[in-house]
Amino acid sequence: MDVSRFLRATGAVLVGVSASLSANAQVSRTPEPTTQEARSFTLTDLNDLIVTAGGKAETVEYQGRKAVRLTTQSDKDIFAFLKGVQIQDGTIESDIALKITTPPGVRMPGFVGIAFRARTDASHYDLFYLRPGNSRTEDQAMRNHSVQYVAAPGFDWYKLRREWPWIYESYADLQPEVWIRVKIEIHGRTAKLYVGGSENPSLIVNGLKGEDLQGGVALWGYPGEEAYFSNVKVIPARAEAVTNEGEASGTWEVKFASDYGRYEGSMNLHREGNAVRGIWSGAFGQEQPVSGTWRSGYVELTFSGTWPSEKPAPMTATLAGWIDGDSAKGRMKVEGRADGQWTAQRKK
């Protein structure tokens, strides 16, 4: 089974869910009223949920408590939006459990999570999800995929893992068919995932890939399993002063703090629409052509140069991150040689 196609955002319209999930549910065409107050959802009924088409929500008793179960007979993942909830910054908490129903031997150890800053058609969102089956395998590579982050559109697990290994997934001690306490903290362009009541995050994402700074909260399920949710809380916080549409054009002083050492240089950039061109000078070479893309202030830039060592060798550097006013930051890598974080300041 092709896992990647399930992790792409669905384009399904939303349907209202009644307590009985009757066939007469109506399509939701307008956003629900929003609130900035803290809210708790016991999920003992379905009145607070709007579920994407093809998904099914039921109130059940599971592992000693009342909960909502999400399932689907389609090949699309499921989003159950919390009515009236919009969040930019704040905290989301929930008890989550997962029962895998795929046949033995199928390489699909379960997926369950929470989407945030999500659009009501599930076309745009940030998402943390758990894979409890991976946590118990003897394959260390799979264990390292126990908790993961993706964003839609454009940043599925395959792209993030291949382009930025180890950064958007990690190990966590999880177990299928057991309640797991999950907490997500969102502040500006950073989000942290906590599991099992730990005071330390299992996964930190600096530079969220999602395009929207505010949106809904949705419980997220996946084909071939039963996803359970209980005791959900959403606690909005004062939003950080962050805006999109940061301009890339200008001269930037760049610092790269990597696992191999620290490097500096400057970039003179010019943007035309979504295309960025420019010149890099500094560590790795002088007058090196830069090319890349811009999307609402998020940039991905690449340039070639020479790796500074006793035996100089060709290299390719990639930067990805957000521009906020006259500052920018994100992740940077020199393919096969160094990885770390970059910061930049626009010269005036």
Side-chain angles (χ1 to χ4, degrees):
M1 185 174 291
D2 184 358
V3 175
S4 64
R5 65 194 177 106
F6 297 139
L7 293 179
R8 293 194 295 267
T10 63
V13 296
L14 301 180
V15 296
V17 179
S18 68
S20 63
L21 284 176
S22 69
N24 295 323
Q26 299 297 311
V27 174
S28 175
R29 300 186 184 279
T30 58
E32 293 291 325
T34 62
T35 179
Q36 293 302 310
E37 298 178 354
R39 292 188 60 184
S40 296
F41 301 85
T42 58
L43 300 183
T44 56
D45 56 45
L46 303 175
N47 295 332
D48 291 318
L49 297 180
I50 303 173
V51 180
T52 48
K56 181 180 181 181
E58 303 168 280
T59 54
V60 297
E61 186 92 11
Y62 185 73
Q63 300 289 14
R65 68 177 68 180
K66 291 184 178 180
V68 163
R69 177 172 62 199
L70 300 183
T71 57
T72 181
Q73 298 301 314
S74 75
D75 62 354
K76 296 178 180 178
D77 36 352
I78 317 156
F79 295 81
F81 283 82
L82 300 176
K83 286 184 180 179
V85 172
Q86 291 277 301
I87 193 168
Q88 179 166 338
D89 290 3
T91 302
I92 305 166
E93 299 180 7
S94 179
D95 293 325
I96 293 177
L98 176 71
K99 181 178 181 180
I100 302 168
T101 58
T102 49
V106 175
R107 192 179 173 88
M108 262 181 58
F111 306 82
V112 60
I114 296 177
F116 53 96
R117 294 181 177 176
R119 295 189 188 180
T120 55
D121 62 356
S123 64
H124 292 62
Y125 56 83
D126 293 278
L127 170 67
F128 279 123
Y129 60 96
L130 316 183
R131 302 180 65 183
N134 277 354
S135 182
R136 298 290 163 158
T137 182
E138 294 296 317
D139 182 342
Q140 185 59 49
M142 295 299 290
R143 289 167 66 88
N144 292 341
H145 309 327
S146 298
V147 293
Q148 296 181 223
Y149 165 83
V150 295
F155 297 93
D156 63 11
W157 69 271
Y158 188 83
K159 175 181 173 66
L160 293 179
R161 184 180 299 170
R162 296 296 172 254
E163 295 184 2
W164 302 98
W166 317 313
I167 304 302
Y168 298 101
E169 52 193 342
S170 182
Y171 171 78
D173 187 8
L174 308 173
Q175 186 174 342
E177 301 186 39
V178 171
W179 285 110
I180 303 167
R181 190 62 179 172
V182 171
K183 181 173 72 171
I184 298 171
E185 292 182 348
I186 312 158
H187 298 287
R189 301 200 189 279
T190 297
K192 300 178 181 180
L193 173 67
Y194 301 78
V195 298
S198 174
E199 295 182 357
N200 295 311
S202 296
L203 185 59
I204 301 174
V205 176
N206 293 309
L208 293 166
K209 302 293 186 180
E211 189 171 356
D212 295 342
L213 289 171
Q214 186 180 73
V217 174
L219 315 178
W220 181 80
Y222 195 75
E225 65 184 34
E226 298 173 1
Y228 295 88
F229 298 86
S230 179
N231 297 327
V232 177
K233 295 181 180 179
V234 180
I235 309 169
R238 182 182 296 275
E240 291 191 12
V242 175
T243 59
N244 286 345
E245 307 301 326
E247 179 54 65
S249 296
T251 300
W252 297 85
E253 297 297 333
V254 181
K255 296 182 179 180
F256 174 32
S258 80
D259 54 359
Y260 193 83
R262 294 180 177 271
Y263 304 92
E264 296 185 7
S266 65
M267 290 189 297
N268 191 341
L269 302 178
H270 177 69
R271 179 175 70 88
E272 293 185 2
N274 292 329
V276 180
R277 297 286 185 271
I279 296 293
W280 166 277
S281 292
F284 316 128
Q286 303 297 314
E287 302 293 316
Q288 300 297 314
V290 176
S291 62
T293 58
W294 177 96
R295 184 212 66 186
S296 300
Y298 174 82
V299 293
E300 293 188 352
L301 306 172
T302 301
F303 65 90
S304 298
T306 301
W307 181 249
S309 65
E310 293 182 0
K311 296 181 179 180
M315 47 138 283
T316 300
T318 301
L319 301 84
W322 286 91
I323 298 170
D324 289 299
D326 291 324
S327 299
K329 62 181 179 180
R331 294 213 65 87
M332 182 173 177
K333 64 180 179 180
V334 176
E335 196 67 45
R337 297 186 180 276
D339 176 85
Q341 299 186 67
W342 65 278
T343 59
Q345 197 71 29
R346 194 196 319 263
K347 293 180 67 175
K348 296 184 178 180

